[in-house]
Amino acid sequence: MVELVSPEQYNESWKEWKLEQLPMFPERFQFQVDRDKKKQFKVVKKLLNDSNEIIVATDCDREGENIARSIITLAGASNKPTKRLWINSLEVDEIQKGFRNLKNGNHYLPLYKEAQTRQFSDWLVGMNASRLYTLLLQQQGMKGAFSVGRVQTASLYLLYKRQKEIEEFVSQPYFAFQGLVEVQNGSFEVKHKQRFDTKDEAQNILKEKGISTGINDGIIQDVKKEVKKTKSPKLHSLSSLQGIANKKWKYSPSDVLKIAQSLYDKKALSYPRTDSHFITDSEFAYIKNNLMNYQECMGVRVDVVYPDAQKRYVDGSKVAEHYALVPTKQTPDLNTLNEKERNIYREVVATTLAMFAPDYGYEETKIEINVKGICFEATGKVEKNKGWKALFASHNDRKKEDQESVLPSMEEGESCQVHVNIAEGKTKAPKYYTEGQLINVMKHAGKDVGDEALKHTLKENEGIGTEATRASIIETLKHQKYIEVRKNKVTVRNKGKILCQAVKGTLLSSAEMTAKWETYLHKIGENEGSQELFLDKIKQMIQSLMKDAPKKIGNMEQALKQVKEQFFIGKCPCCKEGGGKIQDKGKFYGCSRYREGCKFTLPKKFLGKVISQTNVKKILNGEKTNLIKGFTSKKGKSFDAYLHYDQTEQKIIFEFPKG
């Protein structure tokens, strides 16, 4: 409803992007009503000003406090006495209890100051760093704007680091012993743990032990059988739901949030933007009372072996502003939901029902085979009780170990025969992140931070970004053309690589900055820190960037040259001698020497058909395009034709298929 004003509203000269206008440090931050919310704000303002007392009932966290106080302040009602509703459950009895125990609103003002400081700091970094890096990179011939931000740039850099690991990875061969064991009741495969760098090294070990490649006598050295149980998964937070939905159905995190929001709007699911895996006793009570309805809705039956609340799922002390994603009391008609909504609803309900269901039970068998002093091992698994996994029976993506082989029965000391061979393998590069994995990478971004205190801070604050913002950050990275997603794999594009190289070594490239921010912001929230001091530190960091960034980008000549070359599609047919090159100009293709007077252009769309970059390259090489079907003439008639560029006429002409 209210937002910080844009730079030019502080200073008219800040409207134009110029290095000499940086840094932009407003003397006092100002807010305005969002253009689309003015009508609603007018209603809220009147209500606030007509009241004798205001009850703040936004989320019980710093951002909730900021939302309320920013609106109250802009409405001119900050002089009114306030009370605070502080609840983490939306059950009627809990809301009533909260209203009976309203807190003094002034006690929460430090939280408002904490969130406001974060907001001001993000504005300072985003506005100044985006302009700084955009202008410096444009000086080096790069096109377009470069959006920079504390969370989005650190997230991009995480992807960039993984991509560099993959691109620079050199696969190494290795050799290991494998065996096929024959016992009285069957056969099974075994492996030796040790790896060898060369085949000769592996062969020498076998030779020393008197083992041949082929049939050898062995002894069943150890048979360990253990009955194990696995508890059902934790209740879903938004992140875990986004991860599992991306894995199962390739839904993007942004889509999952939209679907969950739609189900929330339909009163089928609880509030989706939650980072909690826990519910309170109130939610557990209504879920337990509604068990039959959920089962009927899902078409399943659950053997309730855990009728009472378990700390693994029900713990009010671990619920902050929102509890885990669970179904509401209202069960929908699944036929009224679309396929995506049904999938997400079923996943949340199944995970909720699972906490009442039996544990998954299996017998694990570990075997050790001794072949003349070399130990071979195998692990097998026999499912004893499907338990809660029956609720997810339609999916085969619950961990691979579920599919491990069943071993034949055997006894310790039993003789066997082992067909030994030397298997060759290769070390594998890390894999590209999927969108679902990227959410978790952001959530656990503190792993690479060296400082233990900062690492702890990031863990406490769930990494970088929030449940509400991570999906939109990924969408921003896509929109900025920093990353692309193909077949669910996230890769960094050239524009993103250039920005990452430009910010390398700065706090912008690291989750460490978020950790340092959060450490001090928490002090402000505890009334032990100063907003002014924090903002001064942010300004110092920006001034340091302004000093160091020009030199850093000036040293990126080779990297920039390589990227710029990739932007060119081919040589300009009009000014080849002058070195003109054709590049994508957005709505058309044009020559890089247009400032020198070259007016050559090619349309991206011609008589209703998009001309692909492959065909544009053919035109520039003096060739005709592939046959393009479905041109529409000025008279509305459809026709097929090839295109090529006539140097004499200096225009594109048609060539029609013969016959």
Side-chain angles (χ1 to χ4, degrees), residues 498-516:
I498 285 297
L499 180 60
C500 286
Q501 289 175 55
V503 301
K504 184 181 178 181
T506 71
L507 279 174
L508 289 170
S509 68
S510 170
E512 192 175 323
M513 182 161 83
T514 286
K516 286 182 173 178

Side-chain angles (χ1 to χ4, degrees), residues 4-19:
L4 286 167
V5 303
S6 56
E8 61 270 20
Q9 288 171 270
Y10 294 110
N11 186 331
E12 183 62 33
S13 65
W14 287 353
K15 189 172 185 177
E16 209 168 340
W17 287 38
K18 288 183 178 179
L19 283 171

